[in-house]
Structure formats: structure tokens, C-alpha cells
């Protein structure tokens, strides 16, 4: 993971990965970027299946939450069907305003896409 975070816009990180059992683990922590941007993340991992089983990603500027991603299913919202259950919460009314999240997955690492999105925000 350290090679993913070795980028000019990353100032520091507390992200750690630990094992809960021989087959499962958790990745959790924060990544601070230039421009007072911070990513808080938590992933539940299945090492045997090579899957992310659950996640939450929140992006802040100083103390203001800019947006977040989660995998809580909203099957009644047909606008999210293309990336179900992955979606992004965005302003206005950030709690209820959700859009599809095509860059987020259970089957591949999400951190590179999240970092790329944040680097675009910084630029």
C-alpha cells in the first residue's frame, strides 16, 4: 500500500492493514493531501476471495465533508442501478443526494481511483 501513497500530493498517512483472522482483515486510516484535503477510509477485506467486502470513504477539506462513498444498498433508487450498490454522496443535501460510482468496486483496489479523484480536486 505504501507505493500507492508515495505521491507528491500525499503529505502523510495513518492507513494500516491488519488481519482479523487468517482469511479476513481491515484497512483503515486517513491520508492527508496538499490543499488541506483528507481521505478517511475503512475497508473490510476477504484475503482468500481477494475481495473488499465492505467500505466507507469520506473526503474532507479542513473539517468540511466534501463527499463520501459507501456500499449501503439503495435498490429503490433506479439512478444508482448501473453501479449497485456502489455510490457517491455529493452536495447539495449530501446525505440524500447520491450518484453512481463507476470507479469503486469490491473486486479491485479503490485507493488509486480515490487518490486520482482527490488529485484532480487539488489541481
Amino acid at each position: 500500500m505504501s507505493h500507492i501513497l508515495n505521491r507528491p500530493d500525499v503529505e502523510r498517512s495513518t492507513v494500516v492493514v491488519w488481519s482479523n483472522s487468517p482469511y479476513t482483515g481491515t484497512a483503515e486510516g486517513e491520508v492527508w493531501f496538499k490543499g488541506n484535503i483528507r481521505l478517511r477510509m475503512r475497508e473490510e477485506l476477504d484475503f482468500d476471495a481477494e475481495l473488499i467486502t465492505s467500505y466507507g470513504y469520506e473526503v474532507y477539506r479542513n473539517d468540511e465533508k466534501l463527499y463520501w462513498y459507501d456500499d449501503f444498498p439503495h435498490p429503490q433508487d433506479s439512478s444508482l442501478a448501473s453501479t449497485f450498490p456502489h455510490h457517491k454522496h455529493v452536495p447539495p443535501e449530501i446525505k440524500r443526494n447520491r450518484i453512481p460510482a463507476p470507479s469503486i468496486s469490491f473486486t479491485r483496489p479503490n485507493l488509486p481511483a480515490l487518490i486520482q479523484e482527490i488529485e484532480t480536486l487539488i489541481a
Side-chain angles (χ1 to χ4, degrees):
M1 182 164 316
S2 63
H3 68 284
I4 295 171
L5 297 174
N6 187 14
R7 303 177 70 89
D9 288 324
V10 173
E11 294 181 338
R12 64 188 166 103
S13 169
T14 62
V15 176
V16 293
V17 179
W18 69 89
S19 181
N20 304 325
S21 77
Y23 308 104
T24 62
T26 301
E28 184 173 41
E30 296 182 312
V31 182
W32 284 266
F33 295 83
K34 292 179 179 176
N36 296 314
I37 304 292
R38 175 174 45 105
L39 167 66
R40 293 180 65 191
M41 64 166 288
R42 180 176 176 87
E43 295 177 340
E44 300 297 327
L45 308 167
D46 182 327
F47 299 132
D48 195 41
E50 298 181 359
L51 294 173
I52 298 169
T53 57
S54 180
Y55 63 81
Y57 310 108
E58 301 173 344
V59 177
Y60 295 82
R61 178 178 283 123
N62 298 313
D63 291 330
E64 176 192 3
K65 190 183 288 190
L66 301 177
Y67 56 90
W68 78 82
Y69 292 91
D70 68 53
D71 59 354
F72 186 84
H74 298 283
Q76 73 285 1
D77 188 342
S78 62
S79 71
L80 302 176
S82 64
T83 62
F84 182 84
H86 314 291
H87 61 277
K88 180 179 181 181
H89 290 255
V90 296
E93 296 183 51
I94 194 168
K95 185 173 182 176
R96 304 211 187 290
N97 192 20
R98 304 173 191 101
I99 60 173
S103 62
I104 303 299
S105 173
F106 288 134
T107 60
R108 65 180 182 274
N110 292 321
L111 197 52
L114 293 163
I115 290 172
Q116 184 176 19
E117 180 179 48
I118 291 168
E119 288 176 335
T120 301
L121 187 63
I122 293 170

